[in-house]
Amino acid sequence: MSDYQLTARAPLGGLSIELGALSLTEIDAYALGSIAAPRGERTRLADRLGVALGLAMPAVGASSLSQDGSLRLLGLQQDQYFLMFKADPGAAISFLTEKVGDAGYVTDQSDSWAKLCLKGHLARQALSRLCMIDLHPKQFADGAVARTVMEHIGVILLKETDDSFVLFTPRSSVRSFVKVIEDGMRSCSNQQESA
Amino acid sequence: MSQPYRINGGLIDREKVLSFTFNKQPFEGYQGDTLASALLANGQRLVGRSFKYHRPRGIFTAGSEEPNALVELRDGAYREANTRATTVELFDGLAAHSQNHRGPLSFDLMAVNDFLHPFLGAGFYYKTFMWPASFWEKVYEPIIRRSAGLGRLSGEADPDTYEKGFRHCDLLIIGGGPAGLAAARFAGRSGARVILVDEERLLGGRLNAETYAVDGEAGAAWAADCADELHALDNVEILTRATVAGVFDHGVYSVVERNTDHLPDAGGRARQTLWRVYAKSAILCAGAAERPIAFGNNDRPGVMLAGAVRAFANRWAVAPGRRVAVFTNNDDGWRCAEDLSAHGVEITAVIDSRDIAPLARIPGALMAMGERVVDTRGRKGVHTITLSNGGVIPADCLAVSGGWSPNVHLTCHHRGRPQWREDIAAFVPGQDLPPGMRVAGAAKGVMRLGDVLADGYCTAMETIETLGFTPPPGEAPRADNESAAVSAFWHVAESRARCWVDLQNDVTVKDITLAEREGFRSVEHLKRYTTLGMATDQGKTGNVLGLAVLAESQGKSIAETGVTIFRPPYTPVPIGAFAGKSRGKEFRPTRVTPSHQWAEEQGAVFVEVGMWLRAQYFPRAGETHWRQSVDREVRSVRGSVGVCDVTTLGKIDIQGRDAAAFLNRVYCNAFAKLPVGKARYGVMLREDGVVMDDGTTARLSKTHFVMTTTTANAVSVFRHMEFCRQCLWPSMDVHLISATEQWAQFAVAGPNARKLLQKVVDPAFDISNDSFPYMACGEMTICGGTPARLFRISFSGELAYEIAVPGRFGESLVRILMEAGAEFNVTPYGTEAVGVMRTEKGHAAGPELNGQTTARDLGLGRMVSKKKDSIGSLLSEREALNREDGFILMGFRPINRENKLSAGAHFIAKTAPATLEHDEGWLSSVAYSPELGHSIGLGFIARGAERIGETVLAVDLVRNQEIEVEIVPPVFVDPEGERLRV
Amino acid sequence: MLINHPLLGPRDVSEFVYLGDASLIDRPDWQAGDAGEQFHDYLYLRDNPAGAHRELWFHEQGDRSWLVVTRHTVTHEILKVELARDVALARGRDK
């Protein structure tokens, strides 16, 4: 045993905000890892992920969900994926290494990103104050993924359902991000009240 | 308080009485009023003073094209200048002030300018305030600013908040008048995603101002029905109180929505939202604006556009006068006489410039056919008008119609040129519309209501078919086609008094003809010389009239003279709306390090490094000057051990079979054979041979590297390497991902660094000097199993490590290092101490990597491998970059050790004058070295290496300082690097 | 401006960073006899057409792909968007 014990701290310390019918919650229970397909070996990686995790390889801009809903693979760029899974982030890299093996290059991204969930039937409206991407269901289906910028801050956006969005944003600037998303939420609920 | 000019009818709510003040005088109006209609209802005709001559001015229009009735709204920090009274919705407690006068509105001292008008014509300022040049800023400008002008700024920060937003649609319909509503209704029914934007509170446009019927019901009622239907559709979004300000590339439109301007208090909401609308297609249904005819004293309060006069009567139940005369060159003007007469207002005369039979019987009105209004009289407003036949007619309101100009502005935002149509005497949109835009209704020159509705409908049908939607069943709404014949008539030549063209910028017919005589013949020159159309209204009412006058004086047609082009914004937009949230501290995001909160607790002083906040130094009790803190931090590191958060350095994870080969090409020095478990300093060049960045890269496995970049260049280096990977060597197996935020990283530096780390690194990992020598790196665990990475690298020149743990443990790790290091008196140190120590060691940093220096200049020339291809290596061999007398990085110390060096000083030979020709280089970084006890510097000097021991002057002309310095090698402390390796 | 990304569809220009002429893909061979000349031309000589221009854009706030965008410099019309990697491979760039 070491004399010293490190304690983990979530980027926002487990933030939870409710504004009208909207809620913004930090979801820290997820681990996050990147998986890159070696050049020319996309199929080998796809096979491996299918066998080891029961996941299909999504297209860029889409995601695939494991049957039990515990794993989600996000197609972020050509040959690069993010795996989102419920696990202690400390165990992320060993999980990734074990499951992916030599079929892909993995990195732990769990601590790179603050993870937030925006819920409520006005979620899309609140995001329209920040997000340049068309989130209309016709254009941005359930499970769709986009990496974009909101008020100068990079964001990875995942749509679970029309009233539930997951947002990953760099850990260091998350407080600035929460401020702008809170403004968007407030703007929507104010509008709702005054209408 | 009785609103003496109020008449029956209108779309106002008489149950809701609203109190407001104008120049502190209390008035009342009704819900649904604009400030303009409420002022007119109270008989307040004089509302402002003109820009240049301070002439009394009244309300001229009923909409956003208003040139005259500009007022200051609200008080204190909320004060907003130059708002158009015609667009301000009345609310309870509204406070408005007239602007641009000294003394009371009714007796403006600056009105003396009006008597001086013979001297103040076009180009007066250009001609008069020419010389001496020294008077421009100090004398002339303050005078001009005081005498000419608009409203006053509050001088305080805008207390309102603004926001931005983004919307997407298949079809954007601009304008909710008859054409827009007909289009929106059918497009909405087709299922297309439609956004309908209108600048007003009420949809309907001119239908609310006229007495026309549509589909058998009153026009305003039909508009309200349409609005109800559209509101019920999920696929239609309606933005009222919103203006399309600009048309940008690829179907991007900016829309300013005014959320709270109509409310006494914003109630925490953003005052305005600047929407960026992405539209696959658009239909411009912006309608048309009426224009005046120029005649003598046509700017007197009470002279108004005819369409506005009947809008006030029909929509706002206000008679703009008790005795109204109408002056027109077209059929539409007659409707004003008919409507007002129907409201029981006395019409004293209808003057038509065309010699035709009267178009209507107006009881009691003189019919002056083929006549003109030559002049008007009245002190603060029109009282009588004089006709070309000599007749003098009583009138306290003169309704003028010079025809209607389609609102083509948005069609010009992509440099489209409007075309002249002689039959309607107006410019219509040209063929070169912004891609995806169609135009319908009056904006296209379709002037009669029945045609307008049909055009809106047909244009919508055509557009939705193009978009792939099925046109819904149904027929175009129907209305009678009113007569709209017009015969061009622009200004009354026989008027001897001044005839006003641009009311807001005080431009007269004479100014235009004078400018033409002086050679300003192109419309663009005329505009800039006379300022025609350059005011906040952008000449919406006066421009075409001005062009017509110019064309006439040149003996050309209007089509030949052409028109100036319109640019965004369509109507004025507050700067705050463009800024949105980007103001004050929110101007850009702030990034904080994992140890930020801990550093705050230590009382750290922070410095902005890009978006990052980094601890600059950690003052302790009793320290009164930053140097005391920094000197102590440096001594502690060099004497025992210190800890510094270096998380901000860019970290790029590089993996792949070709990762080593890739690094070998992006770094100028060799990397292919870097052993696993080792780190190496690398220099990255731009293709032109100039240094881009530097840092250390560690090899974790055969296929896995971690690169560090400088804090400032983290983003650009990543971008550059992706360029190399995708564009230059696309078949390499190499993958990049940023790991900057994943790892909280701390430098642990000083002779006791190892002892401190041994207390936290798990015992299974041997970090002794033998097992983990200088430049070693490895993955390990600390504090009983937490994964970590350790790099034995040093920027301070001491025995040093950088230790990285997953971000979540960063704050905890720094606390533990402090606790475990207490026995060594461990000291946190900030960026200042880093700067001192790296200067003592001669390490280049930002001031040296300034985008102009090569590896050779930095004394790293030998690192550039010539045995391999790497970015920049070939062009770094160019002769000019390898001149013998080129600048070289050297050290400098003051001859008099008491002297303090200053960065930015230039080197001059002791005997030479301090001029550019004798410049020999510059001091780039300076520091006080606690170890040496004096000021030291790094700098670039010609032939530096050969000149060690020579004395030159460091001349700082900014600080007026001249110091003798000695050229020395750039490494001041531990030149052999022995401390690194112990 | 919108750039119609080949994988992602239309994206706002503010997600992108501009680099310059797509001829930057054609980096010369360092071992050619006239490599110095070639690199000079590669780095400094550019066409400046009033018309179709092939240029490099980086989707920095997106999928991190480099794109070759063919844009009309007079009208700003975007005529074609390709993944720069595909262009580079098609132009025979390899290891």
Side-chain angles (χ1 to χ4, degrees), chain A residues 4 7 9 37 39 41 89 105-112 128-129 132 134 171-172 176 183 187 194, chain B residues 163-166 168 193 269 590-592 597 653 655 657 733 735 738 741-742 806-808 811-812 820:
Chain A
Y4 304 100
T7 46
R9 179 177 169 140
R39 176 77 53 243
E41 296 179 20
Y105 305 111
V106 299
T107 70
D108 187 356
Q109 291 280 317
S110 308
D111 287 16
S112 293
S128 77
R129 261 73 175 182
M132 294 181 285
D134 189 358
R171 182 185 186 98
S172 64
S176 293
D183 284 349
S187 183
S194 65
Chain B
E163 64 175 10
K164 293 187 184 176
F166 308 88
H168 303 258
R193 288 169 70 191
R269 288 180 64 190
T590 303
R591 300 176 76 180
V592 296
Q597 192 183 324
D653 189 279
Q655 296 192 58
R657 292 187 297 270
D733 180 42
H735 302 266
S738 169
E741 307 247 352
Q742 173 64 25
R808 68 186 48 235
E811 189 187 333
S812 182

Side-chain angles (χ1 to χ4, degrees), chain B residues 470-512:
Chain B
T470 312
E475 286 173 18
R478 285 172 198 280
D480 290 338
N481 269 328
E482 72 280 19
S483 64
V486 58
S487 174
F489 180 80
W490 304 105
H491 71 105
V492 179
E494 61 259 55
S495 288
R496 264 182 268 151
R498 277 172 290 167
C499 307
W500 303 86
V501 176
D502 181 329
L503 290 170
Q504 195 173 118
N505 263 355
D506 273 354
V507 180
T508 65
V509 169
K510 200 176 136 199
D511 290 327
I512 295 169

Side-chain angles (χ1 to χ4, degrees), chain A residues 6-9 111 171, chain B residues 593-596 598 645 647 742-746 786 803-817:
Chain A
L6 285 165
T7 46
R9 179 177 169 140
D111 287 16
R171 182 185 186 98
Chain B
T593 64
S595 67
H596 186 81
W598 167 83
D645 192 328
T647 303
Q742 173 64 25
W743 299 92
Q745 195 152 319
F746 296 91
T786 302
I803 183 163
V805 289
R808 68 186 48 235
F809 297 116
E811 189 187 333
S812 182
L813 178 60
V814 74
R815 290 181 195 277
I816 283 172
L817 289 171

Side-chain angles (χ1 to χ4, degrees), chain B residues 241-318:
Chain B
R241 300 185 175 107
T243 302
V244 178
V247 184
F248 302 92
D249 286 315
H250 311 141
V252 177
Y253 294 76
S254 68
V255 179
V256 184
E257 186 183 11
R258 294 169 288 276
N259 303 315
T260 65
D261 283 358
H262 61 291
L263 302 173
D265 185 330
R269 288 180 64 190
R271 180 188 169 208
Q272 300 192 350
T273 308
L274 182 63
W275 295 103
R276 190 181 302 173
V277 175
Y278 303 88
K280 294 199 178 83
S281 60
I283 306 178
L284 178 68
C285 306
E290 201 169 15
R291 58 198 185 219
I293 298 170
F295 52 87
N297 290 311
N298 60 330
D299 65 330
R300 230 182 265 292
V303 178
M304 299 170 71
L305 290 174
V309 169
R310 65 181 184 275
F312 284 118
N314 292 331
R315 176 171 172 183
W316 286 287
V318 173

